[in-house]
C-alpha cells in the first residue's frame, strides 16, 4: 500500500509508484484528501492499475479502513508530512490513511518530506524517535533545494532510494528463529569521568545496537540492552539497563545470564587514572596546559570470553577499523578476532564513510571458523538481520514457535 500525504512532494510519489510497480509490486494507492489537490485520482489509478481508495466511506461493505492494512505486505508513506508523522505517532485515525496505519501489522516505511523548519522542529523529531522506536522505518529526508528558494534537509528521499528500502523490507522473511534465546546487547558509548561535570567520551550513537535489539525481538528473542549514553531511543519490548562508564558496563554485562552476547558498545579504551571529586577549576591551574594521566580500561569483550565456561554464551564483538584497503581491513579484523577470542566479529570500516550516527553500515562478519560474510552498504537493520542469520545457524532456539 502506498499512502500519499498532502505535500508538494506528492508529485514525486508518482515515481515511487512506478518504481514499485516495475519491481513487481501490486500497489494500492491511498492518497489523503490534501494529496489529491496535488495529484489527482486518475494518475494514481492509471499507474497502479488498481482502484484508488480515498476515504473510509466509499465501498464501506469491504471495510477498507481495516482490510487495506491487514492485507498489505508493506505500507509505504511517501511523502510523509509533519502532520502524518504526528498523527501516526499518536494513533489518530481521522482518515483512511491513518486508519490503515493502525490496522497494519506489516512493516511500515515512511519517507518524510517537509520544510527544514518543520523537520527539525522538536515536535517532529520526537515523533520520528517514537515511530522508529516502534519499528517503523523512517527514512532520513534528503538535503537540497526545497519548494521555495530555500535549501536544507526536508526533501523527499530519492524515489529509487524509497523503492530500495521497500525491497529491503520485502526480502526479509518474518521468522521466529531466535525464539526463547536470551540475548544481551551492549550499545552506545561509555563516558569516563574527569570530574563531576566533564568526561572523555566517543561518537557512538547506539543506533546499530538498537537495530540489533529491535530485529532480535522481532525474531522472537528476549533482549536486554545494556545502554551507555545512546543518542537514539531503545526499541519497544526490550529490558534496558543504563550504564555510564566501562566499569559499569562490565559489571552489568557480567550479571546477565545470556545465550548470546553482542558487544556493540564503543567502550572507552582509556580513562583518567582518578576522578576529581570537585570540579577542576581553571583558576587553580598553574599554566594554560592541563595534563591528565590515562590508564587503560577493562576489556569487557575479552573478559567475558575468558570467563565463560564451554561454548555458552555465543559472544560477538564489533571492530571499528581504519584500513588502507579491503584486504588490510580483513587482516586487522582477523587479528582482532584471534586476540579477543570471540565467536563472530563484525568488522566496520570507519573513516572513509560516515558510520557514527548514520542509519547505514557496511561490514564484514568474520567467524572463528575462518568464514567471512561481506554485507554491502545497507541499513543498520539489514546488517542486524544478517548477523542474526549467522547466529541462528550456530545456536539452536530454546523454544521454537512455529
Ligand atoms: N571492547 C570492550 N572493552 C574495551 C574496548 C573494546 O569490550 N575496553 C569491545 C568493543 O565493544 C568491541 C570490541 O571490543 O566489541 C572491539 O573494539 P575496538 O574498539 O574495535 O577494539 P579495541 O579492543 O579497543 O582495539 P583497538 O582500539 O586498539 O583497535
Amino acid at each position: 500500500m502506498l499512502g500519499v500525504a498532502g505535500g508538494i512532494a506528492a508529485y514525486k510519489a508518482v515515481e515511487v509508484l512506478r518504481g514499485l510497480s516495475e519491481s513487481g509490486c501490486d500497489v494500492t494507492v491511498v492518497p489523503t484528501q490534501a494529496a489529491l489537490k496535488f495529484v489527482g485520482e486518475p494518475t494514481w489509478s492509471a499507474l497502479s492499475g488498481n482502484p484508488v481508495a480515498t476515504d473510509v466511506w466509499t465501498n464501506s461493505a469491504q471495510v477498507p479502513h481495516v482490510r487495506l492494512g491487514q492485507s498489505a505486505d508493506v505500507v509505504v508513506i511517501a511523502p510523509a508530512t509533519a502532520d502524518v508523522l504526528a498523527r501516526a505517532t499518536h494513533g489518530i485515525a481521522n482518515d483512511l490513511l491513518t486508519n490503515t496505519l493502525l490496522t497494519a501489522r506489516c512493516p511500515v516505511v515512511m519517507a518524510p518530506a517537509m520544510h527544514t523548519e518543520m523537520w527539525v522542529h522538536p515536535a517532529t523529531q520526537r515523533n520520528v524517535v517514537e515511530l522508529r522506536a516502534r519499528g517503523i522505518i523512517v527514512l532520513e529526508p534528503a538535503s537540497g533545494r526545497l519548494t521555495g528558494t530555500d535549501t536544507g534537509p526536508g526533501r523527499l528521499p530519492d524515489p529509487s532510494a524509497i523503492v530500495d528500502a521497500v525491497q529491503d523490507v520485502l526480502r526479509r522473511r518474518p521468522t521466529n528463529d531466535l525464539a526463547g534465546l536470551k540475548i544481551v546487547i551492549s550499545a552506545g558509548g561509555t563516558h569516563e569521568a574527569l570530574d563531576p561535570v566533564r568526561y572523555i567520551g566517543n561518537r557512538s550513537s547506539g543506533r546499530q545496537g538498537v537495530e540489533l535489539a529491535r530485529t532480535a525481538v522481532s525474531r522472537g528473542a528476549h533482549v536486554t540492552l545494556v545502554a551507555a549514553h545512546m543518542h537514539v531511543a531503545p526499541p519497544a519490548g526490550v529490558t534496558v539497563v543504563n550504564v555510564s562508564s566501562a566499569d559499569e558496563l562490565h559489571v552489568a554485562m557480567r550479571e546477565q545470564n545470556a545465550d548470546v552476547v553482542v558487544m556493540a558498545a564503543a567502550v572507552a579504551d582509556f580513562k583518567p587514572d582518578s576522578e576529581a571529586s570537585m570540579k577542576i577549576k581553571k583558576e587553580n591551574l598553574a599554566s594554560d596546559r592541563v595534563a591528565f594521566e590515562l590508564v587503560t580500561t577493562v576489556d569487557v569483550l575479552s573478559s567475558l570470553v575468558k570467563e565463560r565456561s564451554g561454548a555458552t554464551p555465543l559472544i560477538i564483538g564489533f571492530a571499528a577499523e581504519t584500513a588502507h584497503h579491503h584486504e588490510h581491513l580483513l587482516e586487522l579484523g582477523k587479528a582482532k578476532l584471534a586476540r579477543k577470542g570471540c565467536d563472530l566479529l563484525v568488522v566496520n570500516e570507519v573513516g572513509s564513510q560516515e558510520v557514527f550516527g548514520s542509519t547505514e553500515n557496511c561490514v564484514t562478519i568474520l567467524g572463528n571458523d575462518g568464514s567471512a560474510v561481506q554485507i554491502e552498504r545497507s541499513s543498520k537493520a539489514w546488517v542486524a538481520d544478517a548477523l542474526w542469520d549467522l547466529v541462528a545457524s550456530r545456536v539452536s532456539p530454546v523454544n521454537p514457535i512455529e
Side-chain angles (χ1 to χ4, degrees):
M1 195 204 98
L2 172 63
V4 185
I8 186 85
Y11 81 92
K12 294 188 193 161
V14 173
E15 280 299 311
V16 177
L17 171 57
R18 283 198 87 105
L20 291 172
S21 300
E22 279 166 15
S23 64
C25 297
D26 179 19
V27 188
T28 298
V29 184
V30 180
T32 62
Q33 291 301 320
L36 289 170
K37 293 193 186 249
F38 293 102
V39 181
E41 187 270 339
T43 304
W44 303 119
S45 56
L47 288 177
S48 67
N50 281 320
V52 170
T54 55
D55 64 62
V56 287
W57 309 112
T58 313
N59 290 330
S60 48
Q62 292 177 6
V63 204
H65 72 289
V66 176
R67 189 184 50 80
L68 282 166
Q70 284 178 340
S71 60
D73 294 308
V74 58
V75 171
V76 192
I77 314 281
T81 55
D83 172 62
V84 156
L85 292 174
R87 286 190 285 144
T89 304
H90 296 285
I92 295 169
N94 54 354
D95 61 11
L96 184 58
L97 177 56
T98 44
N99 267 279
T100 303
L101 280 174
L102 280 188
T103 54
R105 292 295 174 269
C106 59
V108 176
V109 178
M110 294 193 171
M114 64 200 74
H115 261 77
T116 302
E117 289 84 347
M118 298 170 87
W119 172 249
V120 299
H121 193 284
T124 306
Q125 289 300 308
R126 280 190 82 108
N127 292 338
V128 169
V129 167
E130 168 65 27
L131 291 169
R132 284 183 176 151
R134 278 190 228 150
I136 290 177
I137 298 162
V138 183
L139 304 176
E140 282 298 312
S143 269
R145 176 92 190 265
L146 300 166
T147 319
T149 50
D150 41 355
T151 57
R155 277 165 67 93
L156 187 77
D158 194 65
S160 66
I162 299 172
V163 174
D164 285 350
V166 174
Q167 292 299 329
D168 253 20
V169 166
L170 289 173
R171 265 196 301 273
R172 263 185 240 153
R173 294 271 172 274
T175 152
N176 250 323
D177 55 359
L178 303 179
L181 289 177
K182 177 160 185 210
I183 300 186
V184 177
I185 300 164
S186 71
T190 65
H191 287 183
E192 310 303 325
L194 285 162
D195 69 13
V197 292
R198 304 181 182 96
Y199 60 83
I200 297 175
N202 62 66
R203 296 172 60 200
S204 174
S205 65
R207 209 179 282 279
Q208 182 65 74
V210 163
E211 288 304 332
L212 283 162
R214 193 176 59 69
T215 48
V217 168
S218 74
R219 293 170 78 146
H222 302 290
V223 178
T224 298
L225 192 64
V226 176
H229 306 283
M230 300 194 317
H231 304 177
V232 286
V238 307
T239 306
V240 180
V241 178
N242 286 308
V243 296
S244 185
S245 63
D247 286 333
E248 281 179 34
L249 188 134
H250 187 212
V251 170
M253 295 302 287
R254 289 182 72 195
E255 279 171 359
Q256 309 298 324
N257 187 14
D259 300 302
V260 181
V261 169
V262 186
M263 279 295 301
V267 187
D269 289 315
F270 314 103
K271 62 177 182 179
D273 65 345
S274 63
E275 179 187 344
S277 59
M278 303 289 284
K279 186 179 174 196
I280 300 164
K281 302 289 284 176
K282 283 195 299 254
E283 67 208 34
N284 297 338
L285 300 177
S287 75
D288 59 358
R289 284 179 178 268
V290 194
F292 292 102
E293 190 147 23
L294 301 177
V295 293
T296 54
T297 55
V298 53
D299 186 327
V300 182
L301 179 60
S302 300
S303 108
L304 294 175
V305 169
K306 280 194 197 98
E307 284 170 17
R308 79 174 154 182
S309 55
T312 308
L314 186 86
I315 300 182
I316 301 156
F318 269 69
E321 302 290 354
T322 48
H324 302 305
H325 44 74
H326 189 64
E327 284 65 39
H328 184 212
L329 181 74
L330 292 186
E331 272 169 39
L332 293 170
K334 282 178 187 159
K336 189 167 282 183
L337 177 69
R339 212 165 50 240
K340 301 274 183 179
C342 52
D343 302 288
L344 294 167
L345 188 74
V346 184
V347 186
N348 223 323
E349 186 170 359
V350 290
S352 63
Q353 278 163 327
E354 194 59 57
V355 171
F356 296 111
S358 160
T359 52
E360 291 191 327
N361 214 348
C362 175
V363 304
T364 303
I365 306 174
L366 300 177
N368 56 359
D369 54 0
S371 58
V373 176
Q374 197 179 331
I375 319 280
E376 293 307 330
R377 191 163 181 81
S378 48
S379 69
K380 288 185 173 176
W382 186 254
V383 169
D385 267 314
L387 181 62
W388 296 135
D389 289 346
L390 289 176
V391 168
S393 69
R394 288 176 171 237
V395 182
S396 346
V398 176
N399 179 23
I401 304 164
E402 288 310 315

